[in-house]
Amino acid sequence: MTTNPDGRPSLVPPPFPSPLAQPQIGHGAAIPPVGTLPASVPVSVPSRVGRAAPIWLSGVLVLLFFVLAAYFLNAIGAGASIVGMILALIPLAGVFIAIRIVDRWEPEPRGLVVFAVAWGAIASVAIALGVDLLLTILFGPIDSVAADAASAVIQAPIVEELAKGLGVFILFASARRAFDGPVDGVVYGALIGAGFAFTENIQYFAISLIEGGVPDVTATFFLRGILSPFAHVMFTSLTGLALGLAARRGLTPGQAVGPWLIGMVGAMGLHAFWNGSAVFLDFFALYITAQVPLFVLFILGIIALRREEARLTRARLGEYAAAGWFTPQEVDMLATGRGRKAAMQWAMTLRGDRRPIMREFIADATALAAARQRAITGRDPHAIEDEHELLRKTAAARAALFAL
């Protein structure tokens, strides 16, 4: 059941043409008529609740950072570690730009972005190294081709994806109001994967420099920085996608454990296939015939998710347009990339270049659609507070855009 713009129940279900769309669970709050919102609405929870990771985890990350720094300085040395870090920053920058482009429709909170990258770069690596150290203590150092193969194809995929997936689940459980759906899950998973690859690359580049000098580090950089900078991003994105679909269905953290495990199994399988192609098969032949097509499918999946996000934006803002808060033309503008680009160009022609105001208007309207979706799916009892605040902000931004 849906609601009409005035809040009354409607028996006509909304169209869900996309296979990624989910059924409605709640009814959403009644949309207030234009001009009837009070100057302020009391908010029962702080604005950061449900939009930030636990503070104590930040302390844990800081502690683990110093432990990792000590490990790298002791095991590799300062000089090689610095060179490795500089080289690792190059693929990280490219990957991060790509992720932010995916996230541009409804950007995630900056604090959560930093936490996701830090979890991947610090906590996930620390967990993987800790497990490796524990296995060495239990079974002793094993130097054989079979042990190296098992480490690459079995141990690494299981331990690393579990460590990274734990970070995605923490974000899902603690930042539910910023974890709206599949795109958010993919973004958080990709950020964690990018962080992990950054630290791992430091180690690979530094060791290559120590053992083989410039020729070896150049070859390693080509393999990891040029051919496969998105490998860990793709792996952990599967875990994020599974939790994003769980978020869209309104599942609680306890109910989402199943989808989370399924997502991690997929991530582990893809990770094992990737590593196995280098250990047992012709990596370059398989890279062209299998891994490149997998990356293309990954990109096509991102495009499909973005289209679904745009469809939801149009549907939710259309409900506000029916109540008079937006014009149909504004909904068309806000729900397409082309419309947003045209709006920014128009805002530039206004007196004083009002692109910052238009950018804020677009961001708030998109966040408004997301808040409405959270209300409709019944997963955020505080969504009405966000709706009212964002309605006031979009109304103020529109007034500023048209001010003389």
Side-chain angles (χ1 to χ4, degrees):
M1 183 182 293
T2 63
T3 55
N4 292 316
D6 60 3
R8 292 176 299 157
S10 170
L11 297 178
V12 181
F16 287 94
S18 168
L20 297 171
Q22 303 298 326
Q24 291 189 192
I25 298 172
H27 307 314
I31 298 176
V34 177
T36 61
L37 284 179
S40 63
V41 174
V43 179
S44 60
V45 293
S47 59
R48 286 178 58 84
V49 170
R51 294 190 178 92
I55 295 178
W56 65 269
L57 278 177
S58 300
V60 173
L61 288 176
V62 171
L63 177 62
L64 290 176
F65 170 78
F66 286 110
V67 172
L68 277 181
Y71 165 79
F72 273 87
L73 292 175
N74 180 64
I76 302 175
S81 295
I82 292 174
V83 172
M85 182 179 66
I86 293 173
L87 292 175
L89 283 172
I90 298 173
L92 175 66
V95 170
F96 188 76
I97 290 172
I99 295 173
R100 295 303 282 175
I101 290 174
V102 173
D103 190 37
R104 185 168 53 187
W105 189 265
E106 185 202 354
E108 306 307 317
R110 190 169 303 173
L112 293 180
V113 169
V114 173
F115 176 85
V117 175
W119 181 273
I122 300 172
S124 297
V125 174
I127 292 172
L129 289 175
V131 171
D132 190 59
L133 176 61
L134 178 62
L135 293 176
T136 301
I137 293 173
L138 292 175
F139 303 104
I142 303 175
D143 187 12
S144 68
V145 175
D148 290 342
S151 176
V153 182
I154 299 175
Q155 177 186 328
I158 293 175
V159 175
E160 292 175 6
E161 294 310 321
L162 181 61
K164 291 183 290 178
L166 179 60
V168 184
F169 191 84
I170 288 172
L171 287 170
F172 173 84
S174 63
R176 292 298 305 280
R177 303 179 76 193
F179 208 121
D180 289 325
V183 173
D184 293 346
V186 168
V187 167
Y188 288 130
L191 288 169
I192 291 175
F196 184 93
F198 168 70
T199 304
E200 191 179 53
N201 280 340
I202 294 176
Q203 184 175 18
Y204 274 100
F205 296 157
I207 291 175
S208 295
L209 180 64
I210 293 171
E211 294 181 349
V214 174
D216 271 19
V217 76
T218 300
T220 303
F221 181 81
F222 177 73
L223 287 173
R224 297 185 62 86
I226 303 298
L227 292 184
S228 56
F230 289 92
H232 279 287
V233 168
M234 287 195 297
F235 305 155
T236 316
S237 290
L238 291 179
T239 304
L241 174 62
L243 284 175
L245 291 171
R248 179 62 53 80
R249 296 186 182 99
L251 300 187
T252 65
Q255 294 170 332
V257 170
W260 174 58
L261 292 174
I262 292 173
M264 281 199 301
V265 168
M268 292 171 186
L270 185 58
H271 195 158
F273 170 74
W274 189 280
N275 288 0
S277 67
V279 174
F280 301 115
L281 304 170
D282 185 334
F283 174 80
F284 291 101
L286 204 61
Y287 181 85
I288 298 298
T289 59
Q291 293 172 4
V292 170
L294 279 174
F295 182 70
V296 172
L297 288 176
F298 176 73
I299 297 299
L300 293 176
I302 294 294
I303 293 173
L305 292 174
R306 282 285 300 269
R307 286 181 176 176
E308 168 62 13
E309 199 169 46
R311 188 197 67 78
L312 282 176
T313 300
R314 180 185 293 275
R316 299 291 80 84
L317 291 184
E319 297 169 6
Y320 290 106
W325 285 96
F326 297 96
T327 66
Q329 293 77 14
E330 286 173 334
V331 173
D332 289 338
M333 175 198 77
L334 292 165
T336 63
R338 182 179 299 178
R340 292 181 173 193
K341 182 178 180 180
M344 293 297 294
Q345 293 173 344
W346 172 75
M348 183 174 61
T349 66
L350 300 177
R351 183 171 59 86
D353 187 359
R354 300 180 184 179
R355 281 179 297 179
I357 300 174
M358 177 59 76
R359 191 175 295 112
E360 183 179 359
F361 177 67
I362 292 172
D364 289 339
T366 307
L368 176 64
R372 181 76 180 164
Q373 182 66 18
R374 291 198 305 274
I376 287 176
T377 55
R379 65 179 184 268
D380 185 2
H382 307 290
I384 185 174
E385 298 155 2
D386 289 343
E387 285 187 90
H388 287 176
E389 180 62 26
L390 290 166
L391 281 172
R392 281 193 295 272
K393 291 180 69 175
T394 53
R398 182 194 288 105
L401 283 170
F402 288 99
L404 297 178

